[in-house]
Amino acid sequence: MLNTNTRIYLSSPHMSGAEQKYVNQAFDTNWVAPLGKNVDAFETDLKNYLDPKVYVTALSSGTAAIHLGLLLLDVKAGDEVLCQSLTFTASANPILYLKAIPVFIDSEPDTWNMCPIALEKAIIDRIQLGKKPKAIVTVHLYGNPYKVNAIRIIAEKYQIPILEDAAEALGSSYKGQKCGTFGDLSVLSFNGNKIITTSGGGALISHTEKERTKAIFLATQARDNAIHYEHSELGYNYRLSNICASIGRGQMEVLDEHVALRRDMNAFYKKLFQDIPGVYVHDMPSEDYFSNHWLTAITINPNQSNGITATDLRLAFEADNIESRPLWKPLHLQPLYQEYPYYGNTVAQDLFDIGLCLPSGSNLTDPERKRIKNVVKDLFKIKKKIASKPVVVRKNRLLDFNSFAKLFLGVHFKTT
Ligand SMILES: *Cc1c(COP(=O)(O)O)cnc(C)c1O
């Protein structure tokens, strides 16, 4: 039977109302081009939001920002680049654009991001094999900050720069510092499904003016200083358009509000699932981690949930025209990437097997939440009314970090 309910999406654009004003401004001044006042102003807004000390270059996509970031880190054909495996393919694709070699790293179970132990093992091993990795691509998956300090200590120990993929993490922070400022270079995305959108767009964050100048040079076809068009380097057409930047300006006015609404969705799911055995609503291990909860993800352990799986829940949602989606399939398991080296255990794979991303938009209405709630209640047959108890964080992760580390150290990691 055809379901006539309107579709509830995982994450859809949420306009503030001010976007139109800035777009009109761009039209009125005829700056309908990949440069203009709104590009400058959007960059300034981002800079002020993240940290006035950083430099922001607005680009046509997050993927373009990763590509330029790798170029600025001097990644060349044949170089090796370490990359979190549990992520969207765009984190790694630019490594292949450059004919460099991705080396994938497993996740740890606390934040689901790059495991510091597997990272160090990979670095030691690659160096022993004769090639020191050129860069580390870290990811704040679903807006959840990775173990920033642990990863940074390892990067500094081996003097390998970090390219921080904060595409999903604008508005998140770690120990009070904003995600998007932790890498030697960092990347944001403003694609249609992200925490804020410019319809399509991205940014490269750097710590020197020189890097920004170089990024703009490469993003505008690498034109040398001459009256005619003179080129001695390969360039790209990667700048953000002034129209898109106009939308971005309007979105910046509601960013914090959207973060609060997404976090409220996470609290909604914690409450919804708190009495359902086997379901863990992913959240951060401590107060140090502030997530924008771009997407709320859960795991369902069928051994504890009467055999109900993440797939069962996804199909039940789909029958009510509600979108949910498996976690990113780990890149080392993708046909495109499976020939490349991988360091780790099966944390990313285990999460993929039992995980699910739930509708998390900042614009979900009360009736939509009710539909979500009803699907969950029906599937898990909750008899008693979902009580208005205080929210508790469930601790039924697959493994806690310490036992994971012990297992990992014992089985896979040789200490010298
Ligand atoms: C969205 C996303 C990107 C790519 O950003 P685009 O703007 O879509 O090119 C890169 N990495 C991650 C983790 C993302 O979620």
Side-chain angles (χ1 to χ4, degrees), residues 60-66 86-92 139-142 165-168 187-194 200-202 294 328:
S60 54
S61 72
T63 311
I66 294 171
L86 187 63
T87 182
F88 181 46
T89 189
S91 300
V139 184
H140 306 285
L141 201 72
Y142 305 128
D165 180 350
E168 302 176 357
V187 166
L188 299 173
S189 167
F190 317 116
N191 205 340
N193 56 354
K194 297 288 155 69
W294 171 58
W328 300 125

Side-chain angles (χ1 to χ4, degrees), residues 33 44 179 194 353:
T44 304
C179 292
K194 297 288 155 69
D353 286 344

Side-chain angles (χ1 to χ4, degrees), residues 71-91:
L71 283 165
L72 289 186
L73 295 176
D74 199 32
V75 172
K76 295 204 163 70
D79 285 343
E80 293 190 351
V81 177
L82 303 157
C83 181
Q84 179 163 326
S85 181
L86 187 63
T87 182
F88 181 46
T89 189
S91 300

